[in-house]
Amino acid sequence: MSQYYVKKLEHIKNIEVQVPGSKSITNRALLLAALSNRRCRLHGVLFSDDSRAFLDSLVKLGFAVEADEETKDVAIQGLGGRIPNPNAAINVRSAGTAARFLTVMLALAGGEYELLASPQMCRRPMQPLLDILKNAGVEFIFQGEENHFPFVMKSHGISLDKVIVDTGVSSQFASALLMSGILLENGLDVLLEGDRAEGSYIKMTLAMMEQFGIQTARLENGYRVPHTSGFGLEEYQVEPDVSGACYFYAMAPLLRTDVKVRSVHMDSLQGDIKFLNILRDMGCKLADEADGVKVSGTALDGYPGMDISMKDFSDQTMTMAALAPFAQGPTLIRNIGHIRFQETDRIHAILTELTRMGIACEEGPEYDGIRIMPGEVKKCAVETYDDHRMAMAFTLTGLRTGKITIVNPECCRKTFENYFELMEELYDS
């Protein structure tokens, strides 16, 4: 479907849903399983455009992969860091995690590879990561724009024992080097700079490495990754996607209802769990129950505008922007400059679409973020810029008003294929 009209949702007392597995955890688990020397069965795997790109790449690299989309299980035979087909061509499509993680794994493992990507991924930044690999002796032949996908990569003998990574553009660069650093004979010191050196995605990477049996050592400004072999797990459970869950949790204050997402808990590895604390600050009640976190907004009579730093859970910036027009005061979202370099320039996209709705908003360079005023939403079609989070977040505005049409809702296939099916089920509940 090319457009989705969001009908107004009224008088719904309880919402309970199951969301897919986490993309961030799924793709990290796929990489760590492939690097290990065991056969690992992953449960609760996300099947979406991004994860299928990762899985297809592993198959083309020669790994034995068994995938069951019905049961959400994947089995991978790790080969202790060896790439079965060291002359493969892979296509990472629009998956940033696959692009960054597999580039580093293949460079450090060695071989000659052709790496292709979607037009969207070909525009996303890669140079900081590629410069590190070039300096270590990896050769790149770019088939389009310099320092971007697509390219041929030749790696025959790499010299690398310490890297300095700026996390300001993408923390995925650091995560890629942390996980694949185990392949280097002398290990790798990963020194982190930038405002997300202690970010949630890096913490997730380190926690999952430990779960798989890789013990890193803390340095003053980074981590020492030892050469590690003989690690791995036979089974791994992927958490539900908290990023996707947050669109439903945001309905609690927006629609004055109770929301539970099954199997989501406050001890999640995912940084977006912090969004639930924002909902609590807005007046919602939180309860971590046996079958999932419940967020209650039934007692609310409106909610305040917020002044928050979303540096560490910036994927929810668009969710917050969708709530902001209905707040009782201005909403100020700080420290999100890095979202310019994601699937689209998300700051530009948010401001453009809010303005299209008739909502006053502005960028604030002094706080590296945006300011949104409450106001009356006008009927409009929201462009999504082929960005799944734009599509999912601004659906919320439509649920409250009945005035929003989402253009290109199919872009949600990147991480959450049945999002709009779940929306339809809400009207029937």
Side-chain angles (χ1 to χ4, degrees):
M1 59 183 169
S2 61
Q3 294 190 337
Y4 178 86
Y5 168 64
V6 188
K7 302 184 292 292
K8 189 173 182 178
L9 184 61
E10 298 181 281
H11 312 304
I12 185 165
K13 293 294 180 67
N14 293 284
I15 296 171
E16 185 169 331
V17 295
Q18 180 77 52
V19 299
S22 162
K23 178 194 74 171
S24 300
I25 293 179
T26 291
N27 283 354
R28 282 166 173 78
L30 291 174
L31 185 80
L32 289 167
L35 287 170
S36 77
N37 68 345
R38 296 188 190 177
R39 184 179 186 274
C40 181
R41 181 171 291 277
L42 310 175
H43 305 288
V45 169
L46 169 70
F47 284 93
S48 70
D49 281 355
D50 273 18
S51 58
R52 289 193 189 96
F54 209 119
L55 284 164
D56 289 349
S57 295
L58 290 176
V59 170
K60 287 183 170 61
L61 291 167
F63 288 94
V65 177
E66 301 169 17
D68 188 330
E69 295 204 15
E70 187 172 340
T71 63
K72 310 302 182 191
D73 285 358
V74 170
I76 300 175
Q77 178 61 59
L79 296 172
R82 182 174 65 84
I83 309 300
N85 180 7
N87 297 99
I90 64 173
N91 191 331
V92 300
R93 305 181 201 172
S94 294
T97 47
R100 281 68 181 259
F101 294 177
L102 292 173
T103 296
V104 174
M105 181 182 79
L106 298 178
L108 271 54
E112 297 188 9
Y113 307 94
E114 183 179 21
L115 281 80
L116 308 173
S118 71
Q120 184 194 62
M121 187 62 224
C122 290
R123 294 189 295 269
R124 294 180 68 179
M126 286 290 293
Q127 183 169 354
L129 188 60
L130 300 185
D131 283 348
I132 288 171
L133 298 176
K134 289 178 197 173
N135 291 334
V138 181
E139 178 186 355
F140 291 91
I141 302 170
F142 296 101
Q143 299 170 329
E145 185 179 351
E146 189 84 2
N147 293 313
H148 290 263
F149 281 90
F151 52 77
V152 172
M153 179 175 67
K154 301 179 181 181
S155 177
H156 298 290
I158 192 166
S159 177
L160 191 65
D161 57 14
K162 181 173 73 173
V163 294
I164 300 173
V165 185
D166 184 353
T167 61
V169 175
S170 175
S171 65
Q172 289 175 1
F173 299 161
S175 289
L177 289 158
L178 285 165
M179 288 187 286
S180 290
I182 61 161
L183 296 173
L184 298 173
E185 186 175 348
N186 296 318
L188 182 65
D189 288 355
V190 182
L191 308 182
L192 304 177
E193 296 180 342
D195 59 359
R196 289 186 293 160
E198 301 291 334
S200 59
Y201 284 108
I202 292 173
K203 291 177 181 175
M204 175 194 291
T205 298
L206 293 165
M208 289 185 64
M209 290 171 68
E210 185 174 357
Q211 289 173 338
F212 272 80
I214 302 167
Q215 301 296 325
T216 59
R218 184 67 202 249
L219 304 174
E220 182 179 353
N221 57 344
Y223 298 88
R224 175 166 293 133
V225 181
H227 173 68
T228 309
S229 59
F231 73 93
L233 295 172
E234 294 182 358
E235 309 273 341
Y236 187 83
Q237 180 68 49
V238 176
E239 293 181 5
D241 182 35
V242 172
S243 299
C246 286
Y247 304 117
F248 295 93
Y249 283 130
M251 296 176 194
L254 185 73
L255 305 176
R256 296 181 60 189
T257 187
D258 291 346
V259 180
K260 178 180 287 185
V261 182
R262 292 190 287 276
S263 301
V264 170
H265 294 285
M266 293 302 293
D267 62 355
S268 169
L269 293 176
Q270 300 166 70
D272 279 10
I273 200 72
K274 294 180 180 178
F275 183 73
L276 274 62
N277 293 326
I278 300 303
L279 296 179
R280 180 168 54 199
D281 292 344
M282 293 167 67
C284 294
K285 294 181 180 179
L286 270 58
D288 195 343
E289 300 178 349
D291 57 346
V293 174
K294 178 180 178 181
V295 178
S296 178
T298 52
L300 293 182
D301 184 17
Y303 52 86
M306 304 299 292
D307 184 340
I308 48 174
S309 169
M310 298 189 74
K311 176 178 66 175
D312 219 20
F313 52 112
S314 61
D315 277 349
Q316 296 310 314
T317 301
M318 284 137 290
T319 316
M320 200 70 215
L323 297 180
F326 313 106
Q328 295 169 331
T331 296
L332 183 62
I333 305 174
R334 300 177 182 270
N335 303 318
I336 54 168
H338 60 279
I339 71 173
R340 292 187 181 284
F341 308 107
Q342 296 180 314
E343 280 79 349
T344 188
D345 179 344
R346 286 176 166 170
I347 290 179
H348 170 79
I350 290 168
L351 296 178
T352 300
E353 299 313 308
L354 285 175
T355 300
R356 197 193 304 273
M357 294 177 203
I359 299 300
C361 53
E362 62 183 5
E363 184 177 357
E366 68 275 17
Y367 46 83
D368 196 26
I370 55 179
R371 185 171 183 264
I372 305 168
M373 300 299 294
E376 184 72 25
V377 172
K378 297 192 305 186
K379 185 175 182 180
C380 74
V382 171
E383 296 291 339
T384 51
Y385 307 83
D386 202 24
D387 187 334
H388 56 136
R389 303 216 178 279
M390 288 292 294
M392 291 187 280
F394 282 107
T395 298
L396 297 170
T397 311
L399 292 177
R400 173 73 175 251
T401 64
K403 296 180 180 180
I404 299 297
T405 297
I406 301 295
V407 177
N408 184 26
E410 294 293 332
C411 66
C412 291
R413 293 181 61 84
K414 180 177 174 67
T415 55
F416 201 150
E417 290 187 336
N418 65 330
Y419 182 75
F420 287 101
E421 293 174 19
L422 292 182
M423 288 296 115
E424 287 299 308
E425 291 176 10
L426 294 180
Y427 298 112
D428 298 332
S429 61

